[in-house]
Amino acid sequence: MKYQNLGRTGISISQICLGTMTWGTQNSEAEAHEQMDFAIEKGINFFDTAELYPVTPLSAETQGRTEEHIGTWFEKTGKRDKIVLATKVAGKGRDYLRGGQGTDAANIRLALDASLKRLKTDYIDLYQVHWPNRGHFHFRQAWNYNPFTQDREAAVANITDILETLGECVKEGKIRAIGLSNETTWGTQKYLTLAEQKGLPRVATLQNEYNLLYRHFDLDLAELSHYEDVGLLAYSPLAAGLLTGKYVDGAKPEGSRGAINGDLGGRLQPLQEPAVKAYLEIARKHGLDPSAMAIAFCLTRPFMAAAIIGATTMEQLKINIGAADLVLSPEVLNEIDKVHRQYPMPI
């Protein structure tokens, strides 16, 4: 397992991050503990969660259960000091989370304290804003995204409020570093600029979707990453399972996210299938597991801080973690590039 710094913080993280969003619905507490035990054995020191999790399906009844499972593992093992722990505060829109008010000073305080209690810890290593209050194009919202309806003064005031509150939490020792998720280039740069102007905590990472089917980060965000040392924490490196091949030709295996959530958050639609089949063929031709190939590709990107993997079975988890040891040949990378040029935005 390779390690690198979390932005400019000096915190060392494994290049594979253990994602947790199935724990509490698709995975039991015992299974979650087994996954954490195995991950740490394989050199992973970085776990990512959120107050919102689990997500399959999202519900008021299960919200927070994932953090609770991590907390009981810390309590049982005493290994809190071995883990770089990341969690997130939700943005606007979930009524069962503080009335759906989103991220501001009061809600950050409430969310952070609740997460600390569930996680059975007194600090979070990386605290992230799950999505911006002002709106964004992530979660398949690109087709109706319209920033021109946003209030410019209100957006900057909200970012300032968030940063100042997180800065207070850092001083209090409740947070070590801060990050963003599902954010844009302008939003990320505004956080960085305000932090520099006001002496507030600097954004360390940006957690956005990135995979063979969705490579928006390759463009202006890659430039920002290079100049500002804000690495990508890539979520959904398997495109919610599409790149495993298990949904080809309309299949929806029992117990899978597709069987539970239907369209995989808008990803499971006809345009993705030719691209998925092309990537599966590359893996078949070169004797590679398609999941391992997809994750290994993410790890080749110069802006990658870590790829966030998740699994519902130990077999899946072993394959996904094993991708850290897979070196893709120039031939494989060239073939991937050709498919990307043919299908640049299939989801």
Side-chain angles (χ1 to χ4, degrees), residues 140-154:
R140 320 269 81 76
Q141 296 182 104
W143 307 114
N144 56 10
Y145 175 60
N146 182 11
F148 297 97
T149 63
Q150 297 174 5
D151 185 317
R152 289 186 284 189
E153 290 184 4

Side-chain angles (χ1 to χ4, degrees), residues 48 53 88-89 128-132 136 138-139 179-184 188 203 205-209 233 235 308:
D48 177 74
Y53 296 167
K88 313 178 195 75
V89 53
Q128 304 158 99
V129 179
H130 207 154
W131 63 87
H136 56 88
H138 302 280
F139 309 147
L180 302 173
S181 184
N182 298 297
E183 192 45 279
T184 67
T188 307
V203 169
T205 52
L206 180 55
Q207 183 176 150
N208 283 7
E209 179 174 359
L233 302 180
Y235 76 77
I308 304 172

Side-chain angles (χ1 to χ4, degrees), residues 246-259:
K246 64 185 174 185
Y247 298 115
V248 166
D249 295 327
K252 287 188 178 181
E254 184 178 354
S256 69
R257 188 175 171 188

Side-chain angles (χ1 to χ4, degrees), residues 168-184:
E168 293 169 1
C169 294
V170 170
K171 288 180 180 179
E172 294 164 11
K174 293 183 175 181
I175 297 171
R176 294 180 69 196
I178 71 168
L180 302 173
S181 184
N182 298 297
E183 192 45 279
T184 67

Side-chain angles (χ1 to χ4, degrees), residues 4-310:
Q4 56 190 346
N5 284 335
L6 186 74
R8 296 178 183 175
T9 66
I11 299 171
S12 179
I13 58 170
S14 51
Q15 65 176 341
I16 298 288
C17 174
L18 182 62
T20 63
M21 69 181 187
T22 62
W23 301 354
T25 49
Q26 288 178 279
N27 287 108
S28 67
E29 181 179 40
E31 289 169 338
H33 286 195
E34 184 183 15
Q35 288 194 24
M36 287 183 275
D37 288 338
F38 183 78
I40 198 169
E41 177 186 322
K42 293 299 180 182
I44 289 176
N45 74 340
F46 190 20
F47 296 174
D48 177 74
T49 190
E51 65 165 338
L52 189 68
Y53 296 167
V55 303
T56 44
L58 289 166
S59 76
E61 292 70 34
T62 59
Q63 179 267 321
R65 193 179 291 170
T66 302
E67 289 186 327
E68 290 173 354
H69 290 353
I70 297 170
T72 57
W73 184 81
F74 285 149
E75 188 175 53
K76 181 178 75 172
T77 64
K79 293 181 177 178
R80 172 65 186 94
D81 63 337
K82 305 295 183 184
I83 300 301
V84 177
L85 177 63
T87 192
K88 313 178 195 75
V89 53
K92 282 186 176 180
R94 295 287 168 186
D95 290 344
Y96 54 84
L97 285 169
R98 299 171 298 281
Q101 297 175 71
T103 315
D104 59 19
N107 281 289
I108 286 171
R109 289 286 186 178
L110 290 170
L112 177 58
D113 286 345
S115 286
L116 290 170
K117 183 177 181 180
R118 287 189 292 264
L119 289 161
K120 300 184 185 298
T121 184
D122 56 5
Y123 70 99
I124 303 296
D125 295 288
L126 178 66
Y127 199 57
Q128 304 158 99
V129 179
H130 207 154
W131 63 87
N133 289 331
R134 67 182 188 279
H136 56 88
F137 54 78
H138 302 280
F139 309 147
R140 320 269 81 76
Q141 296 182 104
W143 307 114
N144 56 10
Y145 175 60
N146 182 11
F148 297 97
T149 63
Q150 297 174 5
D151 185 317
R152 289 186 284 189
E153 290 184 4
V156 175
N158 181 236
I159 291 173
T160 304
D161 183 41
I162 291 169
L163 267 178
E164 289 176 345
T165 305
L166 294 176
E168 293 169 1
C169 294
V170 170
K171 288 180 180 179
E172 294 164 11
K174 293 183 175 181
I175 297 171
R176 294 180 69 196
I178 71 168
L180 302 173
S181 184
N182 298 297
E183 192 45 279
T184 67
T185 307
W186 176 84
T188 307
Q189 185 60 62
K190 182 56 69 175
Y191 272 94
L192 291 166
T193 300
L194 288 170
E196 185 174 351
Q197 291 173 347
K198 296 176 177 291
L200 294 168
R202 195 175 194 280
V203 169
T205 52
L206 180 55
Q207 183 176 150
N208 283 7
E209 179 174 359
Y210 188 85
N211 53 62
L212 288 169
L213 304 178
Y214 188 83
R215 292 175 54 177
H216 173 264
F217 206 97
D218 285 342
L219 306 173
D220 49 352
L221 283 166
E223 180 183 35
L224 181 143
S225 177
H226 170 66
Y227 283 103
E228 301 293 343
D229 294 321
V230 177
L232 172 64
L233 302 180
Y235 76 77
S236 202
L238 299 179
L242 287 176
L243 290 165
T244 69
K246 64 185 174 185
Y247 298 115
V248 166
D249 295 327
K252 287 188 178 181
E254 184 178 354
S256 69
R257 188 175 171 188
I260 297 170
N261 285 357
D263 68 351
L264 300 177
R267 299 176 184 88
L268 191 55
Q269 42 77 23
L271 291 176
Q272 54 75 28
E273 186 130 331
V276 168
K277 288 182 176 178
Y279 288 122
L280 293 174
E281 175 57 24
I282 294 173
R284 186 205 62 76
K285 175 182 174 182
H286 293 276
L288 303 173
D289 181 276
S291 297
M293 183 185 82
I295 295 167
F297 170 77
C298 290
L299 298 180
T300 68
R301 310 308 289 157
F303 46 72
M304 195 62 59
I308 304 172
I309 58 104

